[in-house]
Amino acid sequence: METGTHPHLLIIEDDVLLNDMTKRLLTQHGYCVTSAYSGSEALLLIEKGTFDLILLDLMLPGIPGETVLEKMKSTMDIPIIGVSAKTDIDSKVNLIRNGADDYITKPFDNQELLVRIEAVLRRFQKSTTPNNSKILRFKDLSLDTESMEAKIRNTPITLTRYEYLILQLLMSSPSKVFTKNNIFESVWNENFIGDDNAINVHIGNLRKKFAKVNPEEKYIQTVWGLGFKMQG
């Protein structure tokens, strides 16, 4: 997304009234908005157009929202906010684990929706800003901060955007313990508000990916009651 342009948002919501109301709200706040009313329609629109952020309702006719999310995340890097009437922690954790960048429950407050959209767009813009080329190294793990590529020895490891940002933070000072507040402020650009599931999910995914390549080595240490650090 270029500075000075109006972000282009895609709303995927089968409730026509709610879709139209949300579109009107976002248009009034300067966004360019396209609507889709089913998963199949959304996937066709994404093939043809470019979007800066997607609002994805999970209860869709035909192709379920979770399947749409999986298809999107496997082919493109667009921030996605999941929308659902489910309020339980498991639903939120599963959404984040499957690649959603944020989650909002229905019925949502208009102001909260606007703030969440702004925050996700800001995080995405920050994470795609080029860094000075620098290779961070820890044990046999290396991280190229320009190409955003991780390797253990010579084996590449595919990282999501948030996995990369958390790993970059931890590897920037391997002996330092980063609190969950440190990680939220650096990676999500906002204060820690008590729900640490997002960080735990991403750390867990990093550990699984490392273990597939080198099961004999430990890379990230949990410092109980404090946070995380690279494991010496």
Side-chain angles (χ1 to χ4, degrees):
M1 186 180 69
E2 296 175 10
T3 306
T5 62
H6 295 291
H8 192 180
L9 274 52
L10 175 63
I11 302 170
I12 309 170
E13 166 63 67
D14 65 308
D15 182 323
V16 176
L17 185 62
L18 181 56
N19 195 318
D20 290 349
M21 284 172 58
T22 308
K23 182 174 183 176
R24 198 176 309 121
L25 170 73
L26 297 177
T27 304
Q28 286 169 355
H29 284 82
Y31 295 106
C32 177
V33 183
T34 299
S35 289
Y37 301 91
S38 70
S40 52
E41 183 187 2
L43 292 171
L44 283 172
L45 285 168
I46 287 162
E47 279 180 20
K48 296 174 185 174
T50 304
F51 299 96
D52 296 299
L53 182 139
I54 294 169
L55 273 181
L56 171 64
D57 181 53
L58 296 181
M59 301 293 286
L60 293 171
I63 305 173
E66 288 86 355
T67 306
V68 176
L69 173 64
E70 190 181 329
K71 284 178 183 277
M72 287 177 184
K73 282 297 179 181
S74 66
T75 56
M76 62 201 71
D77 195 16
I78 301 172
I80 297 173
I81 297 178
V83 182
S84 174
K86 296 177 183 176
T87 57
D88 60 290
I89 289 296
D90 285 345
S91 296
K92 297 179 184 181
V93 169
N94 285 334
L95 256 184
I96 293 167
R97 184 177 283 127
N98 293 331
D101 298 270
D102 203 348
Y103 182 98
I104 191 166
T105 52
K106 295 178 182 178
F108 50 76
D109 176 79
N110 286 349
Q111 208 56 41
E112 183 188 4
L113 178 65
L114 291 167
V115 167
R116 284 180 180 271
I117 288 171
E118 286 170 18
V120 170
L121 286 170
R122 187 169 61 242
R123 296 196 302 253
F124 185 80
Q125 212 169 6
K126 179 181 174 185
S127 68
T128 52
T129 303
N131 300 303
N132 293 328
S133 181
K134 184 180 176 186
I135 307 289
L136 300 175
R137 298 185 189 280
F138 182 79
K139 297 182 179 177
D140 56 0
L141 172 66
S142 65
L143 186 69
D144 187 324
T145 61
E146 186 173 69
S147 65
M148 295 169 67
E149 288 179 341
K151 287 181 181 177
I152 290 179
R153 302 189 188 112
N154 291 316
T155 305
I157 299 165
T158 304
L159 302 178
T160 66
R161 184 167 66 257
Y162 292 123
E163 288 166 8
Y164 164 77
L165 289 170
I166 290 170
L167 184 59
Q168 182 193 32
L169 181 67
L170 296 178
M171 288 181 72
S172 66
S173 299
S175 58
K176 177 181 172 180
V177 177
F178 289 91
T179 66
K180 287 175 178 176
N181 198 36
N182 294 150
I183 296 171
F184 263 97
E185 286 180 352
S186 176
V187 174
W188 278 269
N189 199 25
E190 56 192 50
N191 290 328
F192 174 54
I193 51 171
D195 181 6
D196 57 8
N197 281 301
I199 293 175
N200 292 340
V201 166
H202 293 308
I203 294 281
N205 287 342
L206 282 167
R207 284 174 170 153
K208 285 177 196 168
K209 289 177 180 182
F210 297 157
K212 277 185 182 175
V213 180
N214 186 357
E216 306 302 316
E217 187 61 87
K218 303 290 183 191
Y219 297 91
I220 299 175
Q221 177 183 348
T222 301
V223 183
W224 296 108
L226 290 174
F228 301 94
K229 68 187 286 288
M230 300 306 289
Q231 187 151 347

